[in-house]
Amino acid sequence: MLLARPAAAQTRRTVFGVQLWPEVQAEVALDGSDYLLVSARGQQNTDNNGFANSSRFLGFDQRRLSVGYEHFLSEHWSIGATLPYFSFNKTYALLPEVLLRHRSPVGPLTFGQRLSLEHLFPGQTGAKGSTHARLRADLEKTVVLGSTVALRPRLSYEAATHLRAFSADDNPDVDERTVQFTSLRGEVGVRLSPAFDFTLWVAYQTQYSFGLAQTDALGNVTIPAGRVNSVAPVVGLDLRFTFLNGQDATTRQQLPTQH
């Protein structure tokens, strides 16, 4: 038994092709630094990322439409909610989310923390939903280059875990990793005016799961059961149009495009 444990516990690493995530955002400024956000994102998998039969629409393997609202409780704290709609391979899903955010200065940088709860409502008949908690931490700095132009370099790390107590697919017989998803993201935002900015970013995303043993036609184990880390590099471009709606751009606090 002791000799069998290393083989069963080994971790397999699978690296998929680059994913391209272009996104367009419209942010409507409200009182204070509150805002309403509407966004549309496409996802193109350069090697289909294991989904050879995925159907494309407008050149994208997956689409996301989202609406969100965030309210600032103080200079450092805010709460909000988002409602994304995903469509992929002739199916869809809703993923409502509530969030709590904290941001504060750390020397010349701004340190941010974002905690959220989301629940997946799948569109497939008979499919069960699931609830996840996400925690993100980030560091950023704004470099002013002129009266309206500024750079915004930023680094963030996010982790997600499944909350079985709130999920419809609670099954004690199914093994799960403690953390099922992580994302390390680096970006540079460019603000050209109070009404428009864009962000170029790259991310290293990993899904953590347990894989079943695979056998050949004779029943011999070719790949033992064990942990599986599925890695996908992502390259993104966010375009944000801000509608000030009578608000003063110099006094409101605008968040990065990664809301």
Side-chain angles (χ1 to χ4, degrees):
M1 292 180 62
L2 291 176
L3 292 175
R5 288 179 62 88
Q10 70 176 333
T11 299
R12 303 199 305 267
R13 184 172 179 269
T14 303
V15 180
F16 294 118
V18 176
Q19 298 179 5
L20 306 177
W21 289 19
E23 181 168 324
V24 178
Q25 303 176 354
E27 180 177 310
V28 179
L30 304 175
D31 291 342
S33 294
D34 295 4
Y35 67 88
L36 176 69
L37 181 74
V38 179
S39 64
R41 186 182 77 199
Q43 176 179 326
Q44 182 174 345
N45 305 327
T46 58
D47 67 350
N48 282 326
N49 287 38
F51 301 100
N53 296 321
S54 63
S55 60
R56 291 188 173 185
F57 178 74
L58 297 178
F60 296 115
D61 298 285
Q62 184 181 116
R63 287 74 56 192
R64 187 192 77 164
L65 298 175
S66 178
V67 60
Y69 169 75
E70 191 151 350
H71 169 65
F72 279 76
L73 302 170
S74 67
E75 180 183 357
H76 301 297
W77 291 92
S78 61
I79 56 174
T82 64
L83 180 61
Y85 168 88
F86 293 89
S87 61
F88 172 75
N89 199 20
K90 298 182 181 180
T91 188
Y92 68 90
L94 291 174
L95 192 67
E97 175 191 46
V98 293
L99 64 94
L100 173 67
R101 193 193 309 269
H102 177 261
R103 287 162 55 82
S104 60
V106 179
L109 305 177
T110 298
F111 175 62
Q113 303 170 82
R114 183 185 189 274
L115 176 64
S116 68
L117 291 177
E118 62 184 24
H119 185 81
L120 175 67
F121 292 94
Q124 289 179 299
T125 303
K128 296 181 179 180
S130 58
T131 302
H132 287 80
R134 292 181 179 270
L135 178 62
R136 181 197 303 161
D138 60 79
L139 279 173
E140 67 170 282
K141 179 177 175 60
T142 300
V143 181
V144 179
L145 301 179
S147 58
T148 59
V149 179
L151 298 180
R152 198 173 198 172
R154 178 173 172 270
L155 182 67
S156 69
Y157 184 79
E158 182 178 61
T161 185
H162 180 206
L163 300 179
R164 288 194 174 190
F166 299 94
S167 297
D169 62 347
D170 187 10
N171 186 348
D173 296 327
V174 177
D175 289 331
E176 282 187 322
R177 310 276 290 273
T178 302
V179 173
Q180 290 88 45
F181 172 82
T182 60
S183 176
L184 176 63
R185 168 168 162 160
E187 65 183 56
V188 176
V190 181
R191 185 184 67 202
L192 298 179
S193 73
F196 177 73
D197 61 294
F198 68 91
T199 299
L200 292 167
W201 58 273
V202 295
Y204 186 87
Q205 299 185 349
T206 306
Q207 296 277 357
Y208 303 90
S209 60
F210 284 108
L212 299 177
Q214 300 182 23
T215 60
D216 58 20
L218 299 177
N220 300 314
V221 176
T222 57
I223 301 178
R227 293 183 174 92
V228 178
N229 296 352
S230 302
V231 177
V234 183
V235 176
L237 172 63
D238 298 343
L239 306 177
R240 177 168 55 188
F241 298 87
T242 301
F243 300 89
L244 291 173
N245 199 29
Q247 303 299 312
D248 186 355
T250 61
T251 59
R252 69 184 300 264
Q253 181 180 167
Q254 189 176 46
L255 298 173
T257 58
Q258 186 187 16
H259 288 270

